[in-house]
Amino acid sequence: EPEVTQTPSHQVTQMGQEVILRCVPISNHLYFYWYRQILGQKVEFLVSFYNNEISEKSEIFDDQFSVERPDGSNFTLKIRSTKLEDSAMYFCASRQVTGNQPQHFGDGTRLSIL
Amino acid sequence: AQSVTQLGSHVSVSEGALVLLRCNYSSSVPPYLFWYVQYPNQGLQLLLKYTTGATLVKGINGFEAEFKKSETSFHLTKPSAHMSDAAEYFCAVSTHNSGGSNYKLTFGKGTLLTVNP
């Protein structure tokens, strides 16, 4: 069964550094999402992406965050200048166009900011 | 705005016992409802979904859930717990209003299920 894959599984970065989290969505999916889960808290929506543009973003997704689909397969989340509070598990998800289709999630990237 | 409340952050059952994980939602439009399971060090795996039609939905691993509009609930059940069911379970809601086709998910805080031998 096709899967969403995320790399790396664990990223350790110094505060203030830029980090790029990578995702390969399922190939015939057209909607892409990033969520994050701070330790002990609920999974929170960050951003959705469709047709090469952001379709919605949360208040968490400020100017330090950006997303990109640089080629036909990858979907990236960039944090420009990381803060301690960015430490979390970041999940990528994708789904087909039809609205009642579920989102399929990757295994996540654990981001640790030192 | 939509929200999800999962009653009980931790549920413990004996192997073979009934599993009941509670989920209540709030949505201004008819919701799509999902249950996801997360095993340690893994991502979120879809257990089942409700979109339209039959209110009792069956998922993988013997789980099922019933959409009750009058109670705004979508509780997850399994008749007989197995050791392999130990995981964290998340209820989620998405909306499909005509203002956008985003269908972002709003999650509950999760319920950790432990199964005792």
Side-chain angles (χ1 to χ4, degrees), chain A:
Chain A
E1 185 176 327
E3 293 181 340
V4 175
T5 56
Q6 291 186 243
T7 55
S9 56
H10 191 189
Q11 174 80 46
V12 181
T13 302
Q14 292 287 331
M15 186 173 58
Q17 295 295 305
E18 176 184 286
V19 66
I20 297 176
L21 309 183
R22 302 180 191 279
C23 170
V24 179
I26 295 173
S27 61
N28 65 342
H29 287 186
L30 296 179
Y31 276 90
F32 313 118
Y33 304 82
W34 284 102
Y35 294 83
R36 80 171 185 191
Q37 184 181 29
I38 295 173
L39 187 64
Q41 298 185 24
K42 63 170 68 176
V43 178
E44 302 173 288
F45 167 76
L46 290 179
V47 65
S48 60
F49 191 87
Y50 172 69
N51 200 25
N52 280 321
E53 62 183 20
I54 291 174
S55 52
E56 186 173 347
K57 59 184 181 180
S58 72
E59 59 274 12
I60 302 168
F61 194 88
D62 62 21
D63 292 345
Q64 295 299 311
F65 290 87
S66 62
V67 290
E68 191 178 31
R69 187 154 165 82
D71 52 43
S73 60
N74 289 284
F75 178 53
T76 62
L77 174 70
K78 182 194 292 187
I79 309 175
R80 191 171 19 249
S81 178
T82 50
K83 309 182 192 67
L84 292 176
E85 54 264 37
D86 294 328
S87 295
M89 181 73 91
Y90 288 81
F91 292 107
C92 174
S94 69
R95 69 168 176 86
Q96 295 176 339
V97 171
T98 312
N100 63 357
Q101 293 302 309
Q103 295 179 27
H104 295 259
F105 285 79
D107 283 346
T109 293
R110 181 169 299 282
L111 178 62
S112 300
I113 307 300
L114 304 179

Side-chain angles (χ1 to χ4, degrees), chain B residues 8-58:
Chain B
S9 59
H10 188 191
V11 170
S12 182
V13 300
S14 298
E15 191 172 20
L18 171 71
V19 175
L20 170 60
L21 305 183
R22 299 179 187 274
C23 172
N24 288 88
Y25 70 91
S26 170
S27 176
S28 57
V29 297
Y32 291 159
L33 295 160
F34 305 85
W35 276 98
Y36 285 86
V37 61
Q38 185 179 30
Y39 298 101
N41 300 314
Q42 294 187 26
L44 297 162
Q45 180 183 2
L46 180 71
L47 270 181
L48 48 79
K49 65 174 184 176
Y50 168 78
T51 53
T52 57
T55 57
L56 181 63
V57 292
K58 295 185 187 299

